[in-house]
Amino acid sequence: MPRTDYCGHTVIVTGASSGIGASFARSLAARGSNLILVARRVDRLEALAGELEKAHGITATVIALDLTSPTAGRDLKAAADAAGVRATSLINNAGFGTFGDFIDEDPARLAQEIAVDVSAPVQLSAAFLPDIIAAGGFLINVASMAAYAPTPRMAVYGAAKAFVLSFTESLWAELRGTGVTTFVLSPGATSTEFNAVVGTDDATAGAKMRTPEDVVTTALAHLESRNPGPSVIDGATNRAAVSLMRLISRRSTAKMMHRMTDPARRSGSKVPAAADTSA
């Protein structure tokens, strides 16, 4: 019997129009949660909302929002209030990455990356935590395996996800005793639009892909566990890799990751400008 009463929650899912976000939405709807689906591609959100309402009898509210906005948290709270819905849980899933040497990146694009990957989870957590605490809900922030090691050619993305990891683990400690379940979810290479938008598999170094459903299954199993810790890594291979990285020097890890992300390792690869999973 799950310890979480999904039927009693209205869950915000950002980046809900594809990939892990859409899988979260489907899994939560099947468990009886109402949803607030957030992304930029409103047509996809509306199609998903209709599918889930018809299949599960839940209510799915669609809110189109640009998470690069410096007022994203306040804007989403205002939009939810205007729609007459009160969120009791939050999954900060939206994010995007860039791939290539830092010196060649567009500073404006990097600023957007930081806004979506770092600022938005902080803003949304601040905006909705009072309601989440009052409802005894949950807060899940999605990081990445990139959070655990230097990530050459994805330097800003890796640093952003390291921030999400540290931020969420700190919230876990602060929120103990409040009735809120908080943790950070770190997927590895996953079959989403990430590499397709990037234009190269070098962004995931040719790693074997997990599915979005695998990732969500890991997250919800952790959520339903008796005493959830501050973080969970999806996949046994990924967990083993993190354990190994803790045993070797940062110098060695950085050099190893630089080799792994080298486009010259893979025939026919190319280095594009950006990968966007904020959907």
Side-chain angles (χ1 to χ4, degrees), residues 27-253:
S27 294
L28 292 168
R31 288 163 169 79
S33 293
N34 293 321
L35 300 167
I36 300 173
L37 304 176
V38 180
R40 295 168 305 168
R41 295 179 290 191
V42 68
D43 55 335
R44 289 197 182 189
L45 292 182
E46 289 175 345
L48 179 61
E51 169 198 327
L52 299 181
E53 288 181 336
K54 181 178 179 180
H56 304 294
I58 57 94
T59 298
T61 302
V62 169
I63 297 178
L65 187 70
D66 181 0
L67 291 173
T68 65
S69 168
T71 59
R74 186 167 69 237
D75 294 345
L76 182 55
K77 185 67 167 65
D81 290 345
V85 290
R86 177 174 171 267
T88 62
S89 294
L90 167 64
I91 300 175
N92 280 309
N93 165 73
F96 77 87
T98 51
F99 185 87
D101 289 342
F102 175 78
I103 192 66
D104 298 323
E105 299 287 1
D106 175 8
R109 185 60 170 165
L110 295 180
Q112 292 177 329
E113 185 175 5
I114 293 167
V116 173
D117 294 358
V118 174
S119 181
V122 172
Q123 287 191 56
L124 269 61
S125 296
F128 290 97
L129 259 177
D131 286 341
I132 294 171
I133 292 171
F138 56 86
L139 168 63
I140 301 172
N141 290 330
V142 178
S144 167
M145 281 286 289
Y148 289 91
T151 316
R153 300 184 180 89
M154 300 185 75
V156 172
Y157 180 77
K161 293 305 184 178
F163 175 93
V164 173
L165 176 66
S166 178
F167 170 64
T168 312
E169 290 185 330
S170 296
L171 288 186
W172 175 87
E174 291 183 15
L175 293 170
R176 293 180 68 191
T178 64
V180 174
T181 301
T182 306
F183 63 89
V184 58
L185 167 67
S186 294
T190 307
S191 298
T192 66
E193 297 178 350
F194 193 86
N195 281 358
V197 176
V198 169
T200 177
D201 289 337
D202 295 316
T204 50
K208 183 178 179 180
M209 295 285 182
R210 300 272 289 171
T211 69
E213 292 74 23
D214 290 332
V215 175
V216 171
T217 295
T218 294
L220 296 186
H222 191 74
L223 178 62
E224 295 167 10
S225 63
R226 184 174 180 83
N227 187 24
S231 61
V232 62
I233 297 168
D234 176 59
T237 300
N238 293 327
R239 291 191 290 272
V242 169
S243 296
L244 177 62
M245 284 188 286
R246 287 169 175 158
L247 298 177
I248 62 179
S249 70
R250 299 289 284 182
R251 177 190 180 103
S252 296
T253 302

